[in-house]
Every structure is written in C-alpha cells, then in structure tokens.
Amino acid sequence: MKNRALVTGGAGFLGSHLCDRLLSEGYDVICMDNFFTGQKENIAHLIGNPYFELVRHDVTLPYFCEVDEIYNLACPASPVHYQFDPVQTTKTSVHGAINMLGLAKRTKARILQASTSEVYGDPEIHPQVESYWGRVNPVGIRSCYDEGKRCAETLFFDYYRQNQVDIKVVRIFNTYGPRMHPNDGRVVSNFIVQALRGEDLTIYGDGSQTRSFCYADDLIEGFRRMMQGPADFPGPVNIGNPGEFTMLELAEAVIRLTGSKAKIVHRPLPQDDPKQRRPDISLAEEKLGWKPTVDLEAGLQRTIEYFRSVVGNVSNGDARV
Ligand code: NAD
Ligand code: UDP
C-alpha cells in the first residue's frame, strides 16, 4: 500500500512542488488549502491523478484523515499577505499547528513544520545558527508571522516531549522559484515581474540589506531528507542557501539576466525589515547530508523563464500598491 501524505498549503508555491515530488516518489497525496495565497494553476496538472486529492479546508479548523506523514505549510509567507489579516495569520500558525499536531498524535504520523528564518528576527548573530534564540519584536507589524511561527515551534516541541509526537522542524530561509504568485510581493517575484514589464524595480530602503536565496528544488530535497532522517533528530534545522546578496545586487542581477531596460527606484524601508540574513547550514550537512546545488544565477534564470510564461496575466508587480 502507498504511504499517504497530507500537505497543508499544498496549492501554494512550495506546497505544490512538494506535492509533485511526493507523487513522483509513489505517495498518495492529500493537498489541503484554503486558497488564500495558493493558486489552482499550481496544482491543475495534478487533477485527475488518482493518487492526488484536493481538499478546500482552513487549517485553523480541525481536520480528520488517516495519514503517515504531514507537511504543515499552510500560512501566507509574503509580508504583504501575512500583514493583510494579521490575526488570521497568527491563528493559522498557532491553531493550525495544534490541529495538525493533534492529527499526528492520533494517527502516529511523522509531522514536519515549515518554520522560518524569521524566528531569528533582526539577528545579532551572523550567520544564523539553530542555537541562536533570535531578536524578534513581539508587537510590530511582522510579529503576527514571526511570533506565530515561534509559537508553532513551541507547540511542536511540547507535543514531542509531552506526547512523543514524531516531529521535524525546518527553518526555511528565503526560497524562490517557479509558481511564486506574480503579485506575491516578495522581492524575487517583484523584481522579475517588474523587469519583464519594463517597470522600475522597487528597492525598499537603500538596498544594502541582505538575504540568502534558496532555489525551490533544493528546499524540497531538504524537506524530504529531514522527513526521512533519524527519529532522534527533530530539528530545528536551517535549510537555505548560504550565498548572501544585497537587494541592490539582486536587482542588478535580475536586470542583467532579463536584459531589461528597467531602472532601480527606492521606496521606504518597511518597519522591522531585517538588515541581514544568512543560514549556517552545518547542521543540515552533518545530519542530513544536505546542501544546496543551484546557485542564484541558475535559479534566477529558471524563475525568469517561468515568469515570462505568466507575466502577460500580471496586473501589478508591486503588491503593496
Ligand atoms: P505561499 O503563500 O505560496 O503558500 C502558502 C499556502 O498556504 C497557500 O497555498 C495558502 O493558500 C495556504 N494557506 C494560507 N493560510 C491557510 C489556512 N488557514 N488554511 C489552509 N491553507 C492556508 O507561500 P510559500 O512560500 O509556499 O510558503 C509555504 C510555507 O513555507 C509557509 O508556511 C511559509 O511560512 C514557509 N516559509 C516559506 C519561505 C519562502 O521563502 N518561500 C520562507 C520561510 C518559511
Ligand atoms: N524588498 C525590496 N523590494 C521589493 C520587495 C522586497 O527591496 O519589491 C526587500 C524587503 O524590504 C526585504 C527584502 O527585499 O529587505 C526581502 O523581502 P521579502 O518580502 O522577499 O522577504 P523577507 O523580508 O520576509 O525576507
């Protein structure tokens, strides 16, 4: 009999790649999504596959099924979207974690949480190691996401200690690739869409802030290795690409690779925007034998190809306006 996996947020950017990967490995996949930021286009090619099941459901409400593995990805990831309804964002992380952990407890499924580098906040330690506790503003505009994800991690480790739930916590650093929503508002999709449309690339602040960008395929490989890894390693583990770039460097790379005549303009820096971020991935290398294989240039080229095919439907590259 096939192993059955539940992917919450399965119609989103990363969730849809994970559904593809699990189906290709012979899993029976249940994709749960409320379509807040997910797109039916991301999973349209899977409809009709007898081993793929799509369920419209909100993870903040209890959900019952029989499964072997749960991947909890449901949560808007872009600041524009998670700040749209911040109370719902916290509920999604916290109530969603409680519901999925309860399901894992009953079914004895192994459960993976899509956590985030945001748990480190605006970090004083560089690069970020898993043992660092972070510097997060509890009352700012990013807190609904950051603190929601931190509380979800707490719930995961309490279910692990109290109920022996088999947990896996992955801290994802900025990940990009095909199937990001064109109006998602995150920096890679914004810059590519703007460049392809010949619009100005909107750098927030002076562009000296840094991020490390991981290509989606590398991230999904990290998820799978973590899910199949040793039971005595619940994480948390950083999964990301240690290559670190300023937003100015990213904008210049996108302009060069698209061949766009677009210019760079500066916009105000959002509140609490972290100044720098780079993962220390030694733990992932040691425990999972994982490291990224796609560099920024190659990943951007693949992502640009994707956006060329969808950009005709894009109304606005900067989701803030
Ligand atoms: P995404 O917005 O494309 O996907 C999130 C999915 O969750 C969407 O399909 C959305 O409709 C769904 N969703 C949101 N709220 C829901 C709810 N209450 N019930 C059911 N479904 C709901 O974002 P993504 O980049 O694919 O992110 C997936 C996960 O990875 C998220 O949990 C995110 O926090 C985490 N993550 C992503 C990144 C990244 O750079 N992509 C970085 C850190 C963490
Ligand atoms: N950013 C930018 N222009 C944009 C969108 C984002 O300069 O059009 C900046 C943003 O201020 C941040 C970085 O790019 O410093 C990454 O932003 P994103 O929203 O992608 O992710 P996060 O801040 O959550 O890492």
Side-chain angles (χ1 to χ4, degrees), residues 8-15 32-39 42 57-60 72-78 88 92 114-117 145 149 172-176 179-180 184 186 223:
T8 77
F13 157 51
L14 293 175
M32 178 226 282
D33 208 293
N34 72 348
F35 293 103
F36 175 50
T37 53
Q39 306 181 83
N42 288 346
H57 183 82
D58 192 310
V59 76
T60 60
N72 189 34
L73 275 66
C75 186
S78 155
Q88 172 68 8
T92 295
S115 191
T116 171
S117 54
Y145 183 76
K149 289 284 189 180
I172 307 168
F173 283 66
N174 299 58
T175 301
Y176 68 101
R179 299 189 193 155
M180 293 184 89
D184 177 276
R186 280 179 280 188
F223 270 11

mmCIF file of all heavy atoms in Angstrom, residues 8-15 32-39 42 57-60 72-78 88 92 114-117 145 149 172-176 179-180 184 186 223, ligand 1:
data_model
loop_
_atom_site.group_PDB
_atom_site.id
_atom_site.type_symbol
_atom_site.label_atom_id
_atom_site.label_comp_id
_atom_site.label_asym_id
_atom_site.label_seq_id
_atom_site.Cartn_x
_atom_site.Cartn_y
_atom_site.Cartn_z
ATOM 1 N N THR A 8 -0.449 20.555 3.959
ATOM 2 C CA THR A 8 -1.297 21.733 4.153
ATOM 3 C C THR A 8 -0.613 22.909 3.439
ATOM 4 O O THR A 8 0.612 22.994 3.422
ATOM 5 C CB THR A 8 -1.528 22.056 5.645
ATOM 6 O OG1 THR A 8 -0.351 22.678 6.178
ATOM 7 C CG2 THR A 8 -1.873 20.803 6.447
ATOM 8 N N GLY A 9 -1.426 23.777 2.820
ATOM 9 C CA GLY A 9 -0.846 24.828 1.975
ATOM 10 C C GLY A 9 -0.309 24.240 0.675
ATOM 11 O O GLY A 9 0.586 24.793 0.048
ATOM 12 N N GLY A 10 -0.899 23.135 0.262
ATOM 13 C CA GLY A 10 -0.383 22.362 -0.881
ATOM 14 C C GLY A 10 -0.568 23.023 -2.238
ATOM 15 O O GLY A 10 0.066 22.620 -3.209
ATOM 16 N N ALA A 11 -1.444 24.056 -2.307
ATOM 17 C CA ALA A 11 -1.623 24.760 -3.589
ATOM 18 C C ALA A 11 -0.753 26.004 -3.667
ATOM 19 O O ALA A 11 -0.833 26.766 -4.627
ATOM 20 C CB ALA A 11 -3.090 25.133 -3.792
ATOM 21 N N GLY A 12 0.081 26.199 -2.654
ATOM 22 C CA GLY A 12 0.984 27.353 -2.654
ATOM 23 C C GLY A 12 2.233 27.074 -3.465
ATOM 24 O O GLY A 12 2.369 26.018 -4.103
ATOM 25 N N PHE A 13 3.140 28.013 -3.421
ATOM 26 C CA PHE A 13 4.403 27.912 -4.164
ATOM 27 C C PHE A 13 5.171 26.652 -3.753
ATOM 28 O O PHE A 13 5.361 25.721 -4.564
ATOM 29 C CB PHE A 13 5.180 29.222 -3.919
ATOM 30 C CG PHE A 13 6.651 29.151 -4.112
ATOM 31 C CD1 PHE A 13 7.205 28.621 -5.270
ATOM 32 C CD2 PHE A 13 7.510 29.648 -3.133
ATOM 33 C CE1 PHE A 13 8.585 28.573 -5.447
ATOM 34 C CE2 PHE A 13 8.884 29.606 -3.291
ATOM 35 C CZ PHE A 13 9.418 29.057 -4.444
ATOM 36 N N LEU A 14 5.587 26.559 -2.508
ATOM 37 C CA LEU A 14 6.381 25.399 -2.088
ATOM 38 C C LEU A 14 5.532 24.137 -1.983
ATOM 39 O O LEU A 14 5.976 23.040 -2.342
ATOM 40 C CB LEU A 14 7.056 25.686 -0.741
ATOM 41 C CG LEU A 14 8.136 26.768 -0.770
ATOM 42 C CD1 LEU A 14 8.660 27.052 0.631
ATOM 43 C CD2 LEU A 14 9.286 26.343 -1.691
ATOM 44 N N GLY A 15 4.302 24.287 -1.489
ATOM 45 C CA GLY A 15 3.434 23.120 -1.305
ATOM 46 C C GLY A 15 3.202 22.368 -2.604
ATOM 47 O O GLY A 15 3.190 21.130 -2.627
ATOM 48 N N MET A 32 -4.249 20.025 1.100
ATOM 49 C CA MET A 32 -5.275 20.849 1.764
ATOM 50 C C MET A 32 -4.900 22.325 1.622
ATOM 51 O O MET A 32 -3.749 22.695 1.871
ATOM 52 C CB MET A 32 -5.343 20.483 3.254
ATOM 53 C CG MET A 32 -6.361 21.334 3.989
ATOM 54 S SD MET A 32 -5.743 21.976 5.515
ATOM 55 C CE MET A 32 -5.892 20.534 6.546
ATOM 56 N N ASP A 33 -5.868 23.152 1.232
ATOM 57 C CA ASP A 33 -5.584 24.575 1.060
ATOM 58 C C ASP A 33 -6.881 25.372 1.153
ATOM 59 O O ASP A 33 -7.935 24.873 0.744
ATOM 60 C CB ASP A 33 -4.910 24.823 -0.309
ATOM 61 C CG ASP A 33 -4.006 26.048 -0.297
ATOM 62 O OD1 ASP A 33 -4.540 27.156 -0.153
ATOM 63 O OD2 ASP A 33 -2.784 25.880 -0.421
ATOM 64 N N ASN A 34 -6.788 26.601 1.665
ATOM 65 C CA ASN A 34 -7.976 27.466 1.658
ATOM 66 C C ASN A 34 -7.891 28.501 0.541
ATOM 67 O O ASN A 34 -8.741 29.383 0.453
ATOM 68 C CB ASN A 34 -8.179 28.151 3.024
ATOM 69 C CG ASN A 34 -7.142 29.232 3.292
ATOM 70 O OD1 ASN A 34 -6.146 29.333 2.577
ATOM 71 N ND2 ASN A 34 -7.355 30.030 4.317
ATOM 72 N N PHE A 35 -6.840 28.434 -0.261
ATOM 73 C CA PHE A 35 -6.632 29.304 -1.430
ATOM 74 C C PHE A 35 -6.529 30.781 -1.075
ATOM 75 O O PHE A 35 -6.896 31.630 -1.866
ATOM 76 C CB PHE A 35 -7.698 29.055 -2.514
ATOM 77 C CG PHE A 35 -7.560 27.687 -3.105
ATOM 78 C CD1 PHE A 35 -8.416 26.660 -2.735
ATOM 79 C CD2 PHE A 35 -6.535 27.404 -3.994
ATOM 80 C CE1 PHE A 35 -8.262 25.380 -3.247
ATOM 81 C CE2 PHE A 35 -6.372 26.133 -4.517
ATOM 82 C CZ PHE A 35 -7.235 25.119 -4.146
ATOM 83 N N PHE A 36 -5.999 31.080 0.107
ATOM 84 C CA PHE A 36 -5.764 32.490 0.452
ATOM 85 C C PHE A 36 -4.666 33.062 -0.450
ATOM 86 O O PHE A 36 -4.852 34.097 -1.090
ATOM 87 C CB PHE A 36 -5.412 32.626 1.939
ATOM 88 C CG PHE A 36 -5.045 34.030 2.322
ATOM 89 C CD1 PHE A 36 -5.863 35.104 1.961
ATOM 90 C CD2 PHE A 36 -3.890 34.302 3.033
ATOM 91 C CE1 PHE A 36 -5.510 36.415 2.284
ATOM 92 C CE2 PHE A 36 -3.541 35.606 3.375
ATOM 93 C CZ PHE A 36 -4.346 36.661 2.996
ATOM 94 N N THR A 37 -3.529 32.381 -0.516
ATOM 95 C CA THR A 37 -2.459 32.819 -1.439
ATOM 96 C C THR A 37 -2.123 31.735 -2.459
ATOM 97 O O THR A 37 -1.308 31.968 -3.348
ATOM 98 C CB THR A 37 -1.171 33.209 -0.678
ATOM 99 O OG1 THR A 37 -0.804 32.117 0.176
ATOM 100 C CG2 THR A 37 -1.370 34.459 0.148
ATOM 101 N N GLY A 38 -2.711 30.562 -2.311
ATOM 102 C CA GLY A 38 -2.432 29.474 -3.254
ATOM 103 C C GLY A 38 -3.159 29.699 -4.573
ATOM 104 O O GLY A 38 -4.092 30.499 -4.649
ATOM 105 N N GLN A 39 -2.713 28.988 -5.592
ATOM 106 C CA GLN A 39 -3.336 29.143 -6.913
ATOM 107 C C GLN A 39 -3.705 27.774 -7.461
ATOM 108 O O GLN A 39 -2.880 26.851 -7.421
ATOM 109 C CB GLN A 39 -2.356 29.760 -7.904
ATOM 110 C CG GLN A 39 -1.723 31.058 -7.494
ATOM 111 C CD GLN A 39 -0.780 31.574 -8.568
ATOM 112 O OE1 GLN A 39 -1.192 32.200 -9.531
ATOM 113 N NE2 GLN A 39 0.499 31.292 -8.414
ATOM 114 N N ASN A 42 -1.277 26.101 -9.831
ATOM 115 C CA ASN A 42 -0.095 25.381 -9.321
ATOM 116 C C ASN A 42 -0.313 23.876 -9.263
ATOM 117 O O ASN A 42 0.654 23.105 -9.303
ATOM 118 C CB ASN A 42 0.251 25.870 -7.903
ATOM 119 C CG ASN A 42 0.840 27.263 -7.897
ATOM 120 O OD1 ASN A 42 1.239 27.768 -8.938
ATOM 121 N ND2 ASN A 42 0.889 27.876 -6.724
ATOM 122 N N HIS A 57 -9.958 23.527 2.593
ATOM 123 C CA HIS A 57 -10.168 23.499 4.042
ATOM 124 C C HIS A 57 -9.234 24.525 4.679
ATOM 125 O O HIS A 57 -8.131 24.753 4.179
ATOM 126 C CB HIS A 57 -9.860 22.086 4.581
ATOM 127 C CG HIS A 57 -10.110 21.943 6.049
ATOM 128 N ND1 HIS A 57 -11.364 21.711 6.584
ATOM 129 C CD2 HIS A 57 -9.267 22.007 7.107
ATOM 130 C CE1 HIS A 57 -11.280 21.633 7.895
ATOM 131 N NE2 HIS A 57 -10.014 21.816 8.249
ATOM 132 N N ASP A 58 -9.685 25.092 5.786
ATOM 133 C CA ASP A 58 -8.847 26.037 6.529
ATOM 134 C C ASP A 58 -8.193 25.286 7.682
ATOM 135 O O ASP A 58 -8.884 24.662 8.496
ATOM 136 C CB ASP A 58 -9.735 27.186 7.048
ATOM 137 C CG ASP A 58 -8.904 28.340 7.573
ATOM 138 O OD1 ASP A 58 -7.982 28.095 8.381
ATOM 139 O OD2 ASP A 58 -9.171 29.477 7.166
ATOM 140 N N VAL A 59 -6.865 25.372 7.753
ATOM 141 C CA VAL A 59 -6.122 24.576 8.746
ATOM 142 C C VAL A 59 -6.435 25.007 10.185
ATOM 143 O O VAL A 59 -6.130 24.270 11.131
ATOM 144 C CB VAL A 59 -4.604 24.639 8.436
ATOM 145 C CG1 VAL A 59 -4.008 25.984 8.873
ATOM 146 C CG2 VAL A 59 -3.840 23.479 9.048
ATOM 147 N N THR A 60 -7.053 26.199 10.353
ATOM 148 C CA THR A 60 -7.409 26.622 11.711
ATOM 149 C C THR A 60 -8.589 25.824 12.258
ATOM 150 O O THR A 60 -8.925 25.935 13.433
ATOM 151 C CB THR A 60 -7.753 28.130 11.769
ATOM 152 O OG1 THR A 60 -8.862 28.379 10.910
ATOM 153 C CG2 THR A 60 -6.587 28.983 11.324
ATOM 154 N N ASN A 72 3.277 20.552 7.271
ATOM 155 C CA ASN A 72 2.430 21.698 7.610
ATOM 156 C C ASN A 72 3.000 22.993 7.035
ATOM 157 O O ASN A 72 3.841 23.639 7.655
ATOM 158 C CB ASN A 72 2.275 21.799 9.131
ATOM 159 C CG ASN A 72 1.230 22.846 9.499
ATOM 160 O OD1 ASN A 72 0.238 23.019 8.781
ATOM 161 N ND2 ASN A 72 1.450 23.557 10.584
ATOM 162 N N LEU A 73 2.502 23.336 5.846
ATOM 163 C CA LEU A 73 2.989 24.528 5.141
ATOM 164 C C LEU A 73 1.957 25.647 5.100
ATOM 165 O O LEU A 73 2.247 26.732 4.601
ATOM 166 C CB LEU A 73 3.370 24.175 3.692
ATOM 167 C CG LEU A 73 4.781 23.622 3.427
ATOM 168 C CD1 LEU A 73 4.955 22.258 4.079
ATOM 169 C CD2 LEU A 73 5.039 23.512 1.936
ATOM 170 N N ALA A 74 0.743 25.392 5.553
ATOM 171 C CA ALA A 74 -0.318 26.394 5.410
ATOM 172 C C ALA A 74 0.033 27.645 6.208
ATOM 173 O O ALA A 74 0.158 27.592 7.433
ATOM 174 C CB ALA A 74 -1.652 25.827 5.905
ATOM 175 N N CYS A 75 0.209 28.749 5.521
ATOM 176 C CA CYS A 75 0.467 30.056 6.118
ATOM 177 C C CYS A 75 0.938 30.991 5.009
ATOM 178 O O CYS A 75 1.826 30.605 4.242
ATOM 179 C CB CYS A 75 1.580 29.977 7.182
ATOM 180 S SG CYS A 75 1.817 31.527 8.081
ATOM 181 N N PRO A 76 0.363 32.176 4.901
ATOM 182 C CA PRO A 76 0.916 33.102 3.904
ATOM 183 C C PRO A 76 2.355 33.440 4.273
ATOM 184 O O PRO A 76 2.670 33.612 5.453
ATOM 185 C CB PRO A 76 0.005 34.333 4.015
ATOM 186 C CG PRO A 76 -0.666 34.221 5.341
ATOM 187 C CD PRO A 76 -0.723 32.765 5.678
ATOM 188 N N ALA A 77 3.240 33.536 3.271
ATOM 189 C CA ALA A 77 4.664 33.712 3.557
ATOM 190 C C ALA A 77 5.166 35.108 3.212
ATOM 191 O O ALA A 77 6.205 35.534 3.711
ATOM 192 C CB ALA A 77 5.467 32.672 2.779
ATOM 193 N N SER A 78 4.442 35.814 2.353
ATOM 194 C CA SER A 78 4.895 37.139 1.951
ATOM 195 C C SER A 78 4.425 38.185 2.966
ATOM 196 O O SER A 78 3.253 38.161 3.374
ATOM 197 C CB SER A 78 4.303 37.452 0.576
ATOM 198 O OG SER A 78 4.221 38.856 0.405
ATOM 199 N N GLN A 88 -5.622 36.526 11.601
ATOM 200 C CA GLN A 88 -5.774 35.234 10.919
ATOM 201 C C GLN A 88 -4.404 34.571 10.702
ATOM 202 O O GLN A 88 -4.280 33.348 10.762
ATOM 203 C CB GLN A 88 -6.505 35.430 9.576
ATOM 204 C CG GLN A 88 -6.572 34.208 8.672
ATOM 205 C CD GLN A 88 -7.462 33.077 9.213
ATOM 206 O OE1 GLN A 88 -8.161 33.247 10.208
ATOM 207 N NE2 GLN A 88 -7.411 31.920 8.574
ATOM 208 N N THR A 92 -3.558 30.965 11.970
ATOM 209 C CA THR A 92 -3.144 29.918 11.033
ATOM 210 C C THR A 92 -1.924 29.175 11.577
ATOM 211 O O THR A 92 -1.888 27.936 11.570
ATOM 212 C CB THR A 92 -2.846 30.526 9.641
ATOM 213 O OG1 THR A 92 -4.069 31.048 9.126
ATOM 214 C CG2 THR A 92 -2.300 29.490 8.687
ATOM 215 N N ALA A 114 6.899 23.720 8.499
ATOM 216 C CA ALA A 114 7.613 24.710 7.697
ATOM 217 C C ALA A 114 7.791 25.953 8.545
ATOM 218 O O ALA A 114 6.959 26.858 8.534
ATOM 219 C CB ALA A 114 6.821 25.018 6.426
ATOM 220 N N SER A 115 8.882 25.979 9.321
ATOM 221 C CA SER A 115 9.179 27.169 10.110
ATOM 222 C C SER A 115 10.022 28.111 9.253
ATOM 223 O O SER A 115 10.137 27.917 8.033
ATOM 224 C CB SER A 115 9.870 26.784 11.416
ATOM 225 O OG SER A 115 9.922 27.905 12.269
ATOM 226 N N THR A 116 10.613 29.093 9.870
ATOM 227 C CA THR A 116 11.195 30.173 9.070
ATOM 228 C C THR A 116 12.404 30.815 9.741
ATOM 229 O O THR A 116 12.509 30.814 10.971
ATOM 230 C CB THR A 116 10.119 31.256 8.832
ATOM 231 O OG1 THR A 116 10.727 32.398 8.247
ATOM 232 C CG2 THR A 116 9.442 31.684 10.121
ATOM 233 N N SER A 117 13.252 31.402 8.928
ATOM 234 C CA SER A 117 14.378 32.191 9.443
ATOM 235 C C SER A 117 13.870 33.408 10.211
ATOM 236 O O SER A 117 14.635 34.029 10.954
ATOM 237 C CB SER A 117 15.258 32.647 8.283
ATOM 238 O OG SER A 117 14.486 33.316 7.312
ATOM 239 N N TYR A 145 3.448 37.018 12.093
ATOM 240 C CA TYR A 145 4.098 35.904 11.392
ATOM 241 C C TYR A 145 5.229 35.320 12.250
ATOM 242 O O TYR A 145 5.256 34.120 12.519
ATOM 243 C CB TYR A 145 4.652 36.416 10.063
ATOM 244 C CG TYR A 145 5.292 35.360 9.185
ATOM 245 C CD1 TYR A 145 4.508 34.466 8.459
ATOM 246 C CD2 TYR A 145 6.672 35.273 9.062
ATOM 247 C CE1 TYR A 145 5.093 33.512 7.633
ATOM 248 C CE2 TYR A 145 7.264 34.327 8.236
ATOM 249 C CZ TYR A 145 6.470 33.445 7.526
ATOM 250 O OH TYR A 145 7.053 32.500 6.710
ATOM 251 N N LYS A 149 4.957 31.752 14.137
ATOM 252 C CA LYS A 149 5.846 30.637 13.780
ATOM 253 C C LYS A 149 6.667 30.184 14.985
ATOM 254 O O LYS A 149 6.970 28.995 15.138
ATOM 255 C CB LYS A 149 6.783 31.059 12.644
ATOM 256 C CG LYS A 149 6.094 31.228 11.288
ATOM 257 C CD LYS A 149 5.785 29.876 10.644
ATOM 258 C CE LYS A 149 5.308 30.035 9.215
ATOM 259 N NZ LYS A 149 5.006 28.751 8.557
ATOM 260 N N ILE A 172 13.104 27.558 7.207
ATOM 261 C CA ILE A 172 13.341 27.876 5.798
ATOM 262 C C ILE A 172 13.847 29.304 5.674
ATOM 263 O O ILE A 172 13.246 30.225 6.235
ATOM 264 C CB ILE A 172 12.021 27.757 4.996
ATOM 265 C CG1 ILE A 172 11.362 26.394 5.214
ATOM 266 C CG2 ILE A 172 12.241 28.050 3.526
ATOM 267 C CD1 ILE A 172 9.925 26.328 4.682
ATOM 268 N N PHE A 173 14.937 29.475 4.932
ATOM 269 C CA PHE A 173 15.410 30.823 4.580
ATOM 270 C C PHE A 173 14.852 31.150 3.194
ATOM 271 O O PHE A 173 14.577 30.245 2.400
ATOM 272 C CB PHE A 173 16.945 30.866 4.592
ATOM 273 C CG PHE A 173 17.516 30.919 5.989
ATOM 274 C CD1 PHE A 173 17.364 29.863 6.865
ATOM 275 C CD2 PHE A 173 18.198 32.043 6.425
ATOM 276 C CE1 PHE A 173 17.866 29.921 8.166
ATOM 277 C CE2 PHE A 173 18.715 32.110 7.713
ATOM 278 C CZ PHE A 173 18.550 31.049 8.584
ATOM 279 N N ASN A 174 14.743 32.444 2.887
ATOM 280 C CA ASN A 174 14.094 32.913 1.643
ATOM 281 C C ASN A 174 14.282 31.939 0.475
ATOM 282 O O ASN A 174 15.399 31.715 0.034
ATOM 283 C CB ASN A 174 14.654 34.273 1.217
ATOM 284 C CG ASN A 174 14.414 35.346 2.254
ATOM 285 O OD1 ASN A 174 14.835 35.212 3.397
ATOM 286 N ND2 ASN A 174 13.735 36.406 1.876
ATOM 287 N N THR A 175 13.173 31.422 -0.011
ATOM 288 C CA THR A 175 13.197 30.446 -1.101
ATOM 289 C C THR A 175 12.364 30.986 -2.267
ATOM 290 O O THR A 175 11.338 31.631 -2.049
ATOM 291 C CB THR A 175 12.655 29.097 -0.606
ATOM 292 O OG1 THR A 175 13.483 28.674 0.486
ATOM 293 C CG2 THR A 175 12.690 28.036 -1.689
ATOM 294 N N TYR A 176 12.827 30.745 -3.477
ATOM 295 C CA TYR A 176 12.192 31.329 -4.664
ATOM 296 C C TYR A 176 12.161 30.280 -5.769
ATOM 297 O O TYR A 176 12.838 29.251 -5.697
ATOM 298 C CB TYR A 176 12.987 32.571 -5.139
ATOM 299 C CG TYR A 176 14.340 32.183 -5.689
ATOM 300 C CD1 TYR A 176 14.559 32.117 -7.074
ATOM 301 C CD2 TYR A 176 15.381 31.811 -4.843
ATOM 302 C CE1 TYR A 176 15.785 31.712 -7.584
ATOM 303 C CE2 TYR A 176 16.605 31.404 -5.348
ATOM 304 C CZ TYR A 176 16.803 31.362 -6.719
ATOM 305 O OH TYR A 176 18.000 30.939 -7.217
ATOM 306 N N ARG A 179 6.252 29.291 -9.868
ATOM 307 C CA ARG A 179 4.986 29.170 -9.139
ATOM 308 C C ARG A 179 4.858 30.132 -7.965
ATOM 309 O O ARG A 179 3.870 30.068 -7.233
ATOM 310 C CB ARG A 179 4.712 27.743 -8.654
ATOM 311 C CG ARG A 179 4.614 26.743 -9.787
ATOM 312 C CD ARG A 179 4.119 25.415 -9.264
ATOM 313 N NE ARG A 179 4.305 24.381 -10.259
ATOM 314 C CZ ARG A 179 4.428 23.083 -9.987
ATOM 315 N NH1 ARG A 179 4.351 22.664 -8.727
ATOM 316 N NH2 ARG A 179 4.603 22.210 -10.947
ATOM 317 N N MET A 180 5.851 31.013 -7.765
ATOM 318 C CA MET A 180 5.570 32.097 -6.817
ATOM 319 C C MET A 180 4.455 32.909 -7.456
ATOM 320 O O MET A 180 4.403 33.045 -8.683
ATOM 321 C CB MET A 180 6.793 32.998 -6.650
ATOM 322 C CG MET A 180 7.947 32.325 -5.987
ATOM 323 S SD MET A 180 9.306 33.467 -5.722
ATOM 324 C CE MET A 180 8.876 34.120 -4.116
ATOM 325 N N ASP A 184 2.795 38.353 -5.470
ATOM 326 C CA ASP A 184 3.081 37.862 -4.126
ATOM 327 C C ASP A 184 3.693 38.946 -3.233
ATOM 328 O O ASP A 184 3.471 38.964 -2.030
ATOM 329 C CB ASP A 184 4.034 36.672 -4.308
ATOM 330 C CG ASP A 184 4.494 36.066 -3.048
ATOM 331 O OD1 ASP A 184 5.467 36.583 -2.467
ATOM 332 O OD2 ASP A 184 3.900 35.087 -2.614
ATOM 333 N N ARG A 186 6.920 39.393 -2.672
ATOM 334 C CA ARG A 186 8.280 39.101 -2.210
ATOM 335 C C ARG A 186 9.289 39.609 -3.229
ATOM 336 O O ARG A 186 8.967 39.819 -4.402
ATOM 337 C CB ARG A 186 8.450 37.612 -1.930
ATOM 338 C CG ARG A 186 7.861 37.248 -0.578
ATOM 339 C CD ARG A 186 7.980 35.791 -0.251
ATOM 340 N NE ARG A 186 6.964 35.002 -0.905
ATOM 341 C CZ ARG A 186 6.753 33.713 -0.675
ATOM 342 N NH1 ARG A 186 7.508 33.089 0.201
ATOM 343 N NH2 ARG A 186 5.802 33.053 -1.304
ATOM 344 N N PHE A 223 13.518 19.102 2.656
ATOM 345 C CA PHE A 223 12.306 18.608 3.336
ATOM 346 C C PHE A 223 12.285 17.086 3.362
ATOM 347 O O PHE A 223 12.009 16.458 4.377
ATOM 348 C CB PHE A 223 11.061 19.057 2.559
ATOM 349 C CG PHE A 223 10.487 20.388 2.968
ATOM 350 C CD1 PHE A 223 11.155 21.254 3.814
ATOM 351 C CD2 PHE A 223 9.243 20.775 2.477
ATOM 352 C CE1 PHE A 223 10.604 22.477 4.164
ATOM 353 C CE2 PHE A 223 8.678 21.998 2.828
ATOM 354 C CZ PHE A 223 9.360 22.842 3.663
HETATM 355 P P1 NAD B 1 2.508 30.511 -0.283
HETATM 356 O O1 NAD B 1 1.800 31.723 0.199
HETATM 357 O O2 NAD B 1 2.696 30.346 -1.750
HETATM 358 O O3 NAD B 1 1.831 29.183 0.261
HETATM 359 C C1 NAD B 1 1.091 29.121 1.454
HETATM 360 C C2 NAD B 1 -0.151 28.290 1.182
HETATM 361 O O4 NAD B 1 -0.892 28.146 2.402
HETATM 362 C C3 NAD B 1 -1.086 28.938 0.167
HETATM 363 O O5 NAD B 1 -1.495 27.987 -0.786
HETATM 364 C C4 NAD B 1 -2.263 29.416 1.020
HETATM 365 O O6 NAD B 1 -3.477 29.497 0.302
HETATM 366 C C5 NAD B 1 -2.271 28.376 2.107
HETATM 367 N N1 NAD B 1 -2.914 28.827 3.345
HETATM 368 C C6 NAD B 1 -2.733 30.012 3.988
HETATM 369 N N2 NAD B 1 -3.495 30.053 5.098
HETATM 370 C C7 NAD B 1 -4.170 28.864 5.153
HETATM 371 C C8 NAD B 1 -5.119 28.319 6.043
HETATM 372 N N3 NAD B 1 -5.533 28.997 7.131
HETATM 373 N N4 NAD B 1 -5.607 27.074 5.796
HETATM 374 C C9 NAD B 1 -5.206 26.382 4.698
HETATM 375 N N5 NAD B 1 -4.320 26.855 3.812
HETATM 376 C C10 NAD B 1 -3.800 28.086 4.034
HETATM 377 O O7 NAD B 1 3.940 30.517 0.457
HETATM 378 P P2 NAD B 1 5.175 29.517 0.349
HETATM 379 O O8 NAD B 1 6.363 30.323 0.034
HETATM 380 O O9 NAD B 1 4.844 28.341 -0.476
HETATM 381 O O10 NAD B 1 5.327 29.075 1.872
HETATM 382 C C11 NAD B 1 4.937 27.804 2.349
HETATM 383 C C12 NAD B 1 5.334 27.667 3.805
HETATM 384 O O11 NAD B 1 6.743 27.818 3.948
HETATM 385 C C13 NAD B 1 4.690 28.721 4.720
HETATM 386 O O12 NAD B 1 4.338 28.111 5.938
HETATM 387 C C14 NAD B 1 5.800 29.713 4.938
HETATM 388 O O13 NAD B 1 5.663 30.381 6.171
HETATM 389 C C15 NAD B 1 7.025 28.812 4.901
HETATM 390 N N6 NAD B 1 8.223 29.573 4.520
HETATM 391 C C16 NAD B 1 8.437 29.946 3.222
HETATM 392 C C17 NAD B 1 9.562 30.690 2.907
HETATM 393 C C18 NAD B 1 9.865 31.109 1.492
HETATM 394 O O14 NAD B 1 10.828 31.852 1.285
HETATM 395 N N7 NAD B 1 9.152 30.670 0.480
HETATM 396 C C19 NAD B 1 10.457 31.077 3.914
HETATM 397 C C20 NAD B 1 10.187 30.704 5.220
HETATM 398 C C21 NAD B 1 9.079 29.935 5.514
#
